Amino acid sequence: MTIGSQTSVLTDRDTRHPAAVAIARRAREHGNHPFGTLPARPDGRVLLEAENTVLAARDATGHAETNPVRAASAAFDAEFPRGCALYTCTEPCAMCVGAICWGNIGRVVYVLGEDQLSALTGANPENPTMEPPSRDVFAAGQRAPGVVGPIELAPARAAHHGFRRGRPA
């Protein structure tokens, strides 16, 4: 299946998603919401590791997906991200989808679906999940990346289990 110009099929290079889950655990240890992202260059080399910074930075837009998009936008020309992949522990929310589209990211690979996250956290006011699947939000735009996910990975669920603001574990 193809969305936009990029493939939405899991590839050999997509083995980095467990690292995004480790970054999510680290975000939780830092007192933030447990979300992590790992953007990679077209050749597969990691650009940086990004965790959620909503609480630590007191920035409601400091999601694990928006933080590296900001960094990439400042560091690279607008065409470079089209060949990059964003590996994330959870499905991007609507705000992050917008950032990913505007940032020209070529592929998104996520582990835990938004519906799965919602089932884990319920009506937790610390994680106001949004109903529309990211594929639907991406499809409404003009720069839809390839999307792969959800990919079942038990540690992704564990990173969110029992999370409460300000209490890392």
Side-chain angles (χ1 to χ4, degrees):
M1 179 163 110
T2 300
I3 298 175
S5 61
Q6 301 291 324
T7 180
S8 60
V9 175
L10 195 63
T11 69
D12 290 338
R13 238 184 229 159
D14 296 335
T15 58
R16 288 182 173 76
H17 52 282
V21 174
I23 297 165
R25 284 194 306 268
R26 190 172 63 226
R28 184 174 175 163
E29 290 166 3
H30 294 151
N32 283 297
H33 298 129
F35 298 96
T37 302
L38 187 71
R41 294 174 175 268
D43 64 6
R45 288 184 298 150
V46 173
L47 284 165
L48 58 100
E49 294 182 357
E51 59 185 63
N52 179 288
T53 58
V54 168
L55 299 175
R58 298 179 53 97
D59 176 3
T61 67
H63 287 198
E65 297 86 358
T66 58
N67 288 335
V69 170
R70 272 190 211 98
S73 295
F76 302 105
D77 68 65
E79 291 302 311
F80 176 78
R82 289 188 198 278
C84 294
L86 191 69
Y87 299 98
T88 185
C89 67
T90 55
E91 184 173 10
C93 72
M95 177 183 70
C96 293
V97 165
I100 291 164
C101 288
W102 282 101
N104 291 328
I105 305 297
R107 285 184 85 234
V108 175
V109 180
Y110 68 90
V111 178
L112 197 61
E114 186 72 18
D115 58 335
Q116 296 166 309
L117 178 62
S118 182
L120 283 172
T121 62
N124 183 342
E126 295 303 318
N127 184 38
T129 59
M130 301 181 87
E131 286 296 316
S134 63
R135 282 180 176 83
D136 293 351
V137 182
F138 279 126
Q142 296 177 8
R143 298 179 186 161
V147 179
V148 178
I151 300 165
E152 185 57 37
L153 197 62
R157 292 177 188 277
H160 291 276
H161 183 72
F163 175 79
R164 294 292 180 261
R165 180 179 183 165
R167 295 196 342 225

